[in-house]
Amino acid sequence: MSTRPREALPKLRPLEVLDLDALMDIERRAYSHPWTEAIFRDCLRAGYTCWALDQRQLLIGYSVTSLAVGEYHILNLTVRPESQGRGHGRFLLRSLLNWAKTHGAENAFLEVRPSNRTALNLYLSEGFNEVGLRKAYYPSHRGREDALVMARAL
């Protein structure tokens, strides 16, 4: 019998302005070219659907999404680097897709760097398919990197 304590289940809740300090710490550590705090503030102000993923009152992940005319767009989905590899990204993605479906979305879309194999494998394993390519979409250390456009029916 194992005496190892169970890991607390993560909880999804709406993202708040008060989360931005913790969010920006994660964003800067997770990406070579992070979004700015101003971008996140604009998303909150504009009414994008923004989610926080908490575990033991610690922000471990977040997302920024948009729902319009039956289309759900995942604009940012991030898990803090030290919490990756534990299923939190999959939990967050599935939660987002379930929420979108219950709110009338028929299809979900996202962009991902081809070099981000971990994220790409997650999306493929959750039923997303490549439907397009955005040339030179992302900034990179060598200039620009393409984005794979992925979609799945809900």
Side-chain angles (χ1 to χ4, degrees):
M1 189 184 262
S2 173
T3 59
R4 198 174 96 185
R6 290 181 93 182
E7 190 169 317
L9 293 175
K11 293 184 176 139
L12 197 62
R13 63 169 175 80
L15 189 72
E16 301 172 1
V17 171
L18 294 174
D19 296 312
L20 288 178
D21 285 344
L23 180 150
M24 288 309 301
D25 175 62
I26 296 168
E27 182 78 4
R28 288 184 193 106
R29 291 184 299 114
Y31 298 110
S32 62
H33 294 80
W35 283 15
T36 64
E37 184 173 327
I39 292 172
F40 285 104
R41 284 185 182 281
D42 287 346
C43 289
L44 287 166
R45 199 171 319 148
Y48 286 83
T49 306
C50 303
W51 296 103
L53 185 63
D54 287 339
Q55 188 173 43
R56 295 183 189 203
Q57 300 175 340
L58 175 70
L59 183 69
I60 62 168
Y62 51 88
S63 66
V64 176
T65 66
S66 173
L67 173 62
V69 196
E71 292 186 354
Y72 190 59
H73 293 265
I74 300 172
L75 306 171
N76 188 321
L77 188 155
T78 304
V79 172
R80 68 186 303 127
E82 58 274 19
S83 297
Q84 292 176 4
R86 298 180 188 163
H88 299 307
R90 186 174 307 277
F91 174 83
L92 181 54
L93 178 61
R94 287 179 178 174
S95 298
L96 298 175
L97 297 176
N98 286 334
W99 180 91
K101 187 175 181 179
T102 64
H103 286 79
E106 297 171 6
N107 295 291
F109 296 89
L110 56 84
E111 286 90 14
V112 63
R113 290 175 187 263
S115 63
N116 189 344
R117 299 304 301 175
T118 302
L120 183 56
N121 288 335
L122 170 64
Y123 301 140
L124 289 169
S125 73
E126 290 296 323
F128 281 84
N129 295 295
E130 184 179 337
V131 295
L133 182 73
R134 296 192 198 281
K135 294 294 241 177
Y137 185 76
Y138 290 111
S140 76
H141 293 300
R142 291 184 238 129
R144 306 291 296 178
E145 182 178 357
D146 295 342
L148 299 177
V149 180
M150 302 189 79
R152 73 163 267 192
L154 299 176

